[in-house]
């Protein structure tokens, strides 16, 4: 419910300023996705359909436009320095393999609950040396600091993380059970341009959160519950 309310508040705020995310914008965003990601069987495995995916993409675009329209995206050279120091101090990349249970972020509550039970059962099976059923086997992949999956990075780079199977972690694609299989080649030292882009990305996230919270604080939200006669 909170997500639905936030999405509506963002839409209203944009409309009041003449900013609209069109069906053409959503179609263009959909076309950027890999073909595999939009197949009916892939979507069904996540508990969603094409219309729900389009809705999710529209929400994502509207939040992006909200930040572009009302956000403060200014960053200082100090912000860049701090980001560069963080990136430079990051541990070397590692190679990770694992298992994936696809679940869309906006899947129905029943699907979310069943997926949580399924991934816990899969985790227990792996700890006993048994391959889990119903999950996708992930080929070894490189995981760096500051990549596209911060939750997964936090898990595999956590202090004391060993080489065995980690606890399940929720990512954008779904639930992942990962293990570190070895070091990757050390990444090149980050450039100042990379650090600037990373600092700007962090600022966008902060501004999105701030703006949505501000809209919620100013809005009067009424919930209506129909009672049975």
């Amino acid at each position: 419910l909170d997500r639905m309310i936030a999405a509506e508040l963002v839409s209203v705020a944009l409309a009041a300023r003449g900013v609209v995310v069109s069906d053409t914008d959503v179609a263009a965003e959909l076309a950027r996705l890999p073909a595999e990601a939009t197949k009916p069987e892939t979507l069904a495995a996540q508990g969603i359909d094409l219309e729900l995916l389009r809705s999710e993409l529209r929400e994502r675009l509207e939040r992006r436009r909200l930040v572009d329209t009302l956000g403060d995206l200014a960053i200082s050279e100090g912000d860049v320095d701090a980001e560069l120091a963080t990136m430079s101090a990051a541990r070397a990349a590692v190679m990770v393999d694992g298992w994936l249970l696809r679940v869309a972020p906006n899947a129905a509550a029943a699907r979310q609950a069943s997926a949580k039970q399924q991934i816990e059962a899969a985790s227990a099976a792996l700890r006993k040396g048994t391959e889990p059923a119903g999950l996708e086997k992930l080929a070894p992949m490189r995981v760096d600091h500051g990549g596209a999956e911060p939750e997964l990075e936090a898990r595999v780079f956590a202090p004391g993380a060993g080489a065995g199977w980690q606890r399940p972690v929720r990512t954008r694609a779904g639930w992942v059970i990962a293990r570190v299989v070895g070091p990757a080649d050390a990444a090149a030292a980050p450039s100042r341009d990379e650090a600037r882009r990373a600092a700007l990305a962090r600022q966008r996230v902060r501004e999105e959160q701030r703006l949505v919270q501000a809209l919620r604080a100013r809005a009067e939200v009424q919930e209506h519950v129909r009672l049975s006669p």
Side-chain angles (χ1 to χ4, degrees), residues 15-228:
R17 292 161 178 80
V19 180
V20 177
V21 173
S22 68
D23 291 342
T24 302
D25 295 329
V26 176
E29 193 74 5
L30 184 65
R32 295 189 183 97
L33 298 177
E36 182 68 26
T38 59
K39 288 184 176 179
E41 56 269 28
T42 302
L43 296 175
Q46 301 177 59
I48 64 172
D49 56 19
L50 194 56
E51 285 307 308
L52 198 54
L53 177 59
R54 288 195 181 99
S55 176
E56 182 181 327
L57 292 176
R58 183 181 299 277
E59 181 181 333
R60 188 184 308 170
L61 285 170
E62 287 184 341
R63 284 175 176 255
R64 192 182 304 165
R65 299 276 175 86
L66 179 72
V67 175
D68 290 340
T69 304
L70 298 176
D72 178 6
L73 294 177
I75 56 173
S76 68
E77 290 305 307
D79 295 328
V80 178
D81 290 339
E83 193 67 38
L84 187 60
T86 299
M87 295 172 70
S88 298
R91 287 175 51 182
V94 294
M95 297 301 294
V96 170
D97 71 356
W99 296 85
L100 168 65
L101 176 61
R102 292 189 180 275
V103 187
N106 57 349
R111 169 58 179 159
Q112 299 279 11
S114 66
K116 185 68 165 62
Q117 293 178 344
Q118 186 177 357
I119 200 67
E120 290 294 346
S123 178
L126 284 169
R127 290 196 298 271
K128 295 177 181 177
T130 304
E131 289 194 354
L135 276 67
E136 297 179 34
K137 183 73 170 73
L138 297 176
M141 58 184 176
R142 180 190 181 104
V143 176
D144 298 89
H145 283 275
E149 294 289 356
E151 294 84 3
L152 178 59
E153 296 159 26
R155 181 58 53 86
V156 300
F157 289 125
W165 292 110
Q166 307 293 323
R167 291 286 303 153
V169 59
R170 191 71 161 83
T171 70
R172 293 184 303 172
W175 284 99
V176 171
I177 305 172
R179 67 177 175 184
V180 176
V181 295
D185 295 332
S191 68
R192 193 165 186 82
D193 283 344
E194 290 173 322
R196 189 179 303 279
R197 289 194 296 271
L200 181 57
R202 290 184 189 276
Q203 179 65 6
R204 288 192 71 92
V205 172
R206 287 193 294 265
E207 280 297 284
E208 178 183 312
Q209 294 171 342
R210 181 186 68 81
L211 289 168
V212 171
Q213 289 173 357
L215 291 174
R216 286 297 302 264
R218 292 199 299 267
E220 179 181 350
V221 179
Q222 296 182 354
E223 298 182 25
H224 298 276
V225 180
R226 178 178 294 177
L227 300 177
S228 301

